[in-house]
Amino acid sequence: MARNRMLDRGAMAFLVVLVAVGVAVPLLNLMFPPTSPFHVPTYLVALFGKYVCYGLLALSIDLIWGYAGILSLGHGAFFALGGYAMGMYLMRQIGTRGVYADPILPDFMVFLNWPELPIYWYFFDHFWYAAIMVMLVPGTLAFVFGWFAFRSRVTGVYLSIITQALTYALLLGFFRNDFGFGGNNGLTDFKDILGFNVQAQETRAALFAASCAALAVGFVICRALVTSKFGKILVAIRDAEARTRFLGYRAEAYKVFVFTLSACMAGVAGALYVPQVGIINPSEFSPANSIEAVIWVAVGGRGTLTGAVIGAVLVNYAKTTFTTGMLAPYWLFVLGGMFIAVTLLLPRGIVGTWQYLAERRRQAGAAGAAPIPPPSQPASRAAE
């Protein structure tokens, strides 16, 4: 019965570790001097924060792929849209400190001779408005896309191709200088966030803690969904959509809802990612980024939630290691080999395989502990 609870032992352990990391890393960065062996350098705080944002993105993909069977190869688009919404707010905070010292127009608009601020940039000087746009823009796009795609019963590889085409179309659009988002260079040279220097040590630590908090909230929301009746219907849609429709459930409504929620989570991940890396440009829309995010989920374990986060952290740690020094040219080979090895040797992923083996051991232990019933007496002995 414990496995039916919203937070079982594994989920609780994951949350405890996440909260501990979210508290310990900022404290070790701020409270200990750089000469101390316990000090966590600021650059590592930013790097770990980026990993946590990737973990939230992977969690959003696992929610739709692992439980609803929706394989999106364009989820990086929602991540990038959330990042651009936050980047627009950060650009409006620069003011006269930019290269051209224009109090209203960002530097790239002055350079391109824009006469005035476009209407879709209005109100982005307010954090609350940017925070709403971080979820509203990706969520609206996902809702509209899902409404047409799922009502038309587009599934499988066709849906994956359409999502990839969507993110590629956005990539081409954001590359244009007349689109109003900085073209190829994107948005960068950020100064402040909520009045605090975005490069300051304390701000970096706060952003890391906020990323961990967002991941924890996203994880709890996902667990609440997948352990409820709603989650059981999602799994039924994943395994037998036609039969689920026959039972009277509107599969498209469930898929639209979970797809929209997943996009909002990806948008939040992108918004937290941008101030920590200091830039957002059209390369974030690259279909390769979305495919790589799917690999994170596959490596960690599709349909496990915790596995998606662990896979994102492990693969990106490997990427950081292999893209420095002499190993840099071989990273794509390592990534491809990792995906092939997991597919052939660990089809359930790291966490999925661990859970499977633990369940097998539990069942074997329960069978071994069961009392052996006494043999029945022969009929002839019973008659005596």
Side-chain angles (χ1 to χ4, degrees), residues 12-268:
M12 284 299 298
F14 174 80
L15 284 176
V16 168
V17 170
L18 182 60
V19 171
V21 170
V23 173
V25 170
L27 289 180
L28 293 175
N29 173 252
L30 297 174
M31 297 185 64
F32 291 90
T35 56
S36 172
F38 300 104
H39 177 73
V40 176
T42 303
Y43 81 91
L44 282 182
V45 175
L47 181 63
F48 294 159
K50 185 172 72 171
Y51 290 168
V52 174
C53 294
Y54 285 153
L56 183 56
L57 172 61
L59 186 68
S60 70
I61 295 174
D62 192 29
L63 177 63
I64 58 172
W65 185 32
Y67 293 92
I70 304 171
L71 177 55
S72 171
L73 295 181
H75 232 59
F78 306 122
F79 179 85
L81 287 172
Y84 265 97
M86 179 56 67
M88 293 167 72
Y89 162 77
L90 295 173
M91 292 296 291
R92 292 299 308 275
Q93 303 307 301
I94 297 176
T96 57
R97 291 173 293 175
V99 175
Y100 297 99
D102 191 296
I104 302 297
L105 296 180
D107 283 340
F108 74 89
M109 290 188 183
V110 178
F111 177 77
L112 295 173
N113 296 318
W114 284 66
E116 59 183 359
L117 192 71
I119 189 172
Y120 48 84
W121 276 78
Y122 289 0
F123 305 113
F124 270 99
D125 51 335
H126 301 289
F127 181 81
W128 63 267
Y129 181 80
I132 293 174
M133 291 298 106
V134 160
M135 291 187 289
L136 183 62
V137 174
T140 301
L141 177 62
F143 178 82
V144 174
F145 175 86
W147 176 265
F148 288 103
F150 299 137
R151 283 177 61 88
S152 302
R153 302 191 182 183
V154 180
T155 58
V157 66
Y158 301 103
L159 180 66
S160 301
I161 292 173
I162 293 176
T163 57
Q164 196 170 53
L166 173 66
T167 189
Y168 189 67
L170 289 171
L171 168 69
L172 297 178
F174 275 77
F175 258 120
R176 296 172 58 91
N177 286 328
D178 58 358
F179 216 55
F181 297 100
N184 183 41
N185 295 324
L187 309 178
T188 188
D189 193 31
F190 307 134
K191 307 295 185 184
D192 296 334
I193 179 170
L194 290 174
F196 299 96
N197 183 357
V198 76
Q199 300 292 338
Q201 183 179 9
E202 295 79 8
T203 307
R204 295 281 190 179
L207 287 170
F208 175 82
S211 300
C212 290
L215 178 56
V217 172
F219 179 78
V220 170
I221 292 174
C222 291
R223 283 288 303 181
L225 283 177
V226 302
T227 56
S228 65
K229 179 183 176 182
F230 182 91
K232 293 180 174 61
I233 297 173
L234 286 182
V235 173
I237 293 172
R238 179 196 68 189
D239 296 338
E241 182 172 343
R243 183 176 297 181
T244 306
R245 292 180 184 275
F246 179 76
L247 292 174
Y249 293 101
R250 295 183 58 192
E252 65 275 4
Y254 286 89
K255 294 168 78 172
V256 168
F257 174 80
V258 75
F259 191 71
T260 303
L261 174 62
S262 175
C264 292
M265 291 172 57
V268 172

Side-chain angles (χ1 to χ4, degrees), residues 36 123 137 231 280 309 350 375 381:
S36 172
F123 305 113
V137 174
I280 178 70
V309 178
I350 297 172
R381 293 293 303 274

